[in-house]
Amino acid sequence: MGALGRPRRMVWADLCPLLGGVGLALFLVSAFTPLSNLLSRPMGGPSALEPAEAIVVLGGGVMPNGVLSNSSMRRALHGILLHRKGLAPLLVFFGPVRDSGPAEAEVRAELARALGVAPRVILAAAEPRTTREEALRGSVLLQAKGVQRILLVTDAYHMRRARTAFEQAGFEVLAAPTHDLSSGVFRPGERLALMRRVVEERLARLYYGLAGYL
Amino acid sequence: MGQLLIPVLVGVTSMAAYLVGAKGLRLSHGCIHKAVRRMLDCLGVTLIFLGVNLGTAVIVILAARVLTREFLSLYLVADETLLVLSLIQALIFQGWRDLSGPNVSRP
């Protein structure tokens, strides 16, 4: 044990402070430098706001009491505005039930009706729970109506993965991200939140790649 | 200017803490680097716990998707609570190592 234990102890004794130092350095760089802005910029890509056959708004989360998450509300309003600008005749909302309460898609459809969108042009699909499921369900819902060219509405850092999933489902996708990542964020807390989104999205892309979805 | 507020604030309070420790409490100046190393050690253990917790959670979620009809989102693991709980696990683990005497592995 002594002969074998000593090197193992040294490795442990050196590994933890080294790991801690790397973690601390990453934290400081993420919070106090523009690294998260630089890493997030390639994820969004430019908007392509051109006429399409449908506007597809991806799910972003709803609370059990029916209040949309910030992301969900931002996406829904962006989709409604694009429709009001006449960019596409159909408006599709995704979003499942979270734990309990109303489905996100239904809450958003209700919001659109309240803001003057005609009920006959709204489609609400609450079954899909992931981006890939949204793409597959979208192909069933829309390609039966002859829709090929869609305006895809989601957060900018989610757009690349979502766009690929919808293209693989057979759509011609025009990106309509809810915001522009090029302006960046500057407060330490905002930079950390953005870095977290960047890491989450990169891990999600890795998972989709390993699962053969991309 | 606003971006510098937090670093400057922490710098000033750290200097104040150093003065209180060195002058008021007469703490050893030479022990500061050991304290920094111990902090890094604890941070490293926190990251190990965090990695193990995240990895286990992902395996459990994917297994639940395969073995049951229950759908659990992978975003569930992206919760700040896990970081705080990992820190608590690390502090307890480090305290345990400290209190268990000099024969256990210590930096």
Side-chain angles (χ1 to χ4, degrees):
Chain A
M1 178 66 192
L4 291 173
R6 190 170 181 80
R8 196 183 305 155
R9 277 184 209 160
M10 287 176 67
V11 167
W12 175 260
D14 290 336
L15 175 70
C16 288
L18 181 66
L19 193 59
V22 170
L24 182 62
L26 283 175
F27 167 76
L28 293 174
V29 167
S30 299
F32 298 109
T33 73
L35 179 67
S36 58
N37 293 327
L38 292 175
L39 291 176
S40 69
R41 262 173 214 154
M43 299 175 77
S47 286
L49 300 184
E50 297 170 21
E53 291 152 353
I55 297 162
V56 175
V57 184
L58 302 189
V62 66
M63 287 188 265
N65 62 4
V67 174
L68 297 173
S69 71
N70 288 343
S71 171
S72 178
M73 177 65 87
R74 200 164 47 236
R75 295 177 191 183
L77 289 176
H78 193 53
I80 292 167
L81 285 173
L82 294 177
H83 176 74
R84 296 294 291 266
K85 286 180 181 172
L87 286 172
L90 268 179
L91 187 52
V92 184
F93 290 113
F94 286 109
V97 173
R98 199 184 87 176
D99 301 327
S100 62
E104 180 189 354
E106 296 298 339
V107 175
R108 297 161 121 192
E110 182 60 40
L111 174 69
R113 287 191 287 270
L115 291 175
V117 179
R120 63 185 154 70
V121 305
I122 301 172
L123 290 175
E127 307 88 6
R129 299 158 303 189
T130 65
T131 304
R132 179 170 179 266
E133 288 181 5
E134 288 174 326
L136 296 175
R137 182 73 181 132
S139 70
V140 173
L141 275 176
L142 293 174
Q143 286 171 7
K145 295 178 182 293
V147 171
Q148 285 293 318
R149 186 177 162 93
I150 60 168
L151 273 162
L152 187 63
V153 178
T154 188
D155 292 335
Y157 33 68
H158 181 220
M159 182 57 77
R160 203 166 148 200
R161 180 163 56 100
R163 179 183 188 137
T164 307
F166 275 79
E167 284 174 345
Q168 289 200 340
F171 290 103
E172 180 190 346
V173 177
L174 302 170
T178 52
H179 59 290
D180 181 7
L181 288 171
S182 62
S183 55
V185 292
F186 301 98
R187 292 184 179 175
E190 292 171 342
R191 283 175 169 161
L192 286 175
L194 180 59
M195 182 60 88
R196 176 184 153 165
R197 286 296 305 164
V198 168
V199 171
E200 276 179 11
E201 191 52 35
R202 287 189 183 267
L203 289 174
R205 280 188 65 81
L206 176 67
Y207 171 67
Y208 267 46
L210 291 174
Y213 299 158
L214 294 180
Chain B
M1 182 62 192
Q3 298 170 47
L4 294 175
L5 176 67
I6 290 178
V8 169
L9 180 74
V10 172
V12 168
T13 54
S14 297
M15 282 302 297
Y18 173 75
L19 290 174
V20 168
K23 307 284 183 189
L25 302 175
R26 299 189 184 284
L27 301 180
S28 163
H29 176 76
C31 286
I32 284 185
H33 75 277
K34 289 180 184 170
V36 170
R37 187 179 168 95
R38 183 169 290 196
M39 178 274 293
L40 292 177
D41 192 29
C42 191
L43 197 54
V45 177
T46 302
L47 292 176
I48 290 172
F49 270 110
L50 181 64
V52 171
N53 285 329
L54 284 172
T56 306
V58 167
I59 290 168
V60 167
I61 287 173
L62 293 179
R65 284 188 189 179
V66 172
L67 300 174
T68 72
R69 286 177 178 272
E70 185 76 18
F71 177 82
L72 293 174
S73 172
L74 284 169
Y75 286 111
L76 285 173
V77 302
D79 194 306
E80 291 86 354
T81 316
L82 202 56
L83 179 60
V84 176
L85 291 174
S86 299
L87 174 63
I88 291 170
Q89 286 177 302
L91 289 171
I92 293 171
F93 190 76
Q94 288 296 81
W96 187 20
R97 283 171 68 193
D98 286 344
L99 295 170
S100 293
N103 289 331
V104 296
S105 164
R106 274 237 51 91

